[in-house]
């Protein structure tokens, strides 16, 4: 069950990253950030299942998940900055009163940068999964 669950989280993460790329192509910037968040959330949950052999906490807070995965001290400053950037995008994308403000802050360049960093972090977590 453990390997099956890990595979499930990784496949969902891959799908979410593909969706984030599709959202960038169509300039739906709000959802680029949201799907990038989902990509990393699912990778962290896969890692938690791997090291703890238990269901991850029901949270969308990436910093809490990183702590639960015992990875917070291994992340680079760029990776930690990405977690800080992505965490609010999950919540704010869901509630209409935040959308306007959030949309103003998300540009093509910012979304491209978020996706680049998300791809790199996803790859980094995958490598750790394969090693452990």
């Amino acid at each position: 069950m453990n390997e099956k669950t890990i595979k499930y989280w990784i496949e969902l993460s891959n799908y979410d990253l593909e969706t984030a790329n599709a959202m960038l192509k169509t300039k739906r910037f709000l959802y680029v950030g949201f799907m990038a968040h989902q990509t990393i959330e699912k990778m962290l949950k896969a890692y938690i299942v791997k090291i703890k052999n238990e269901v991850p906490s029901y949270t969308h807070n990436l910093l809490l998940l990183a702590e639960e995965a015992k990875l917070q001290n291994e992340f680079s400053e760029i990776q930690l900055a990405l977690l800080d950037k992505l965490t609010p995008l999950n919540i704010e994308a869901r509630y209409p009163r935040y959308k306007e403000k959030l949309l103003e802050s998300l540009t093509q360049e910012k979304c491209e940068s978020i996706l680049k960093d998300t791809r790199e972090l996803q790859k980094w977590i995958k490598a750790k999964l394969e090693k452990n």
Side-chain angles (χ1 to χ4, degrees), residues 1-131:
M1 179 184 124
N2 193 18
E3 288 305 314
K4 187 177 175 184
T5 304
I6 293 165
K7 185 179 179 206
Y8 164 81
W9 284 117
I10 292 170
E11 286 173 357
L12 287 176
S13 175
N14 291 338
Y15 185 87
D16 290 344
L17 186 57
E18 288 175 29
T19 303
N21 284 311
M23 294 297 98
L24 182 64
K25 286 179 186 161
T26 58
K27 301 194 181 306
R28 294 179 154 259
F29 299 138
L30 183 65
Y31 296 102
V32 171
F34 179 75
M35 296 313 299
H37 176 284
Q38 292 296 298
T39 299
I40 299 305
E41 179 180 327
K42 289 167 183 159
M43 286 307 296
L44 288 169
K45 288 183 175 182
Y47 193 79
I48 290 164
V49 170
K50 177 81 172 192
I51 63 161
K52 292 183 152 189
N53 199 25
E54 61 186 46
V55 176
S57 296
Y58 185 74
T59 182
H60 301 294
N61 184 318
L62 299 180
L63 295 170
L64 287 177
L65 289 169
E67 197 174 306
E68 186 175 344
K70 308 228 183 302
L71 289 173
Q72 74 276 20
N73 295 327
E74 295 185 44
F75 285 133
S76 69
E77 288 197 25
I78 291 169
Q79 292 168 328
L80 285 171
L82 178 65
L83 297 182
D84 272 339
K85 214 181 289 179
L86 292 179
T87 293
L89 295 179
N90 177 275
I91 296 157
E92 292 175 13
R94 294 175 187 227
Y95 299 98
R97 67 181 171 167
Y98 296 111
K99 284 185 181 181
E100 282 298 315
K101 194 175 182 181
L102 189 56
L103 272 170
E104 289 172 14
S105 73
L106 293 171
T107 62
Q108 177 83 27
E109 295 75 27
K110 187 172 181 180
C111 287
E112 286 171 1
S113 173
I114 286 171
L115 272 183
K116 177 185 157 290
D117 292 344
T118 298
R119 248 184 254 101
E120 289 172 8
L121 182 53
Q122 184 199 44
K123 190 174 166 182
W124 184 86
I125 297 169
K126 276 183 185 176
K128 292 197 72 61
L129 274 165
E130 291 168 9
K131 219 166 37 172

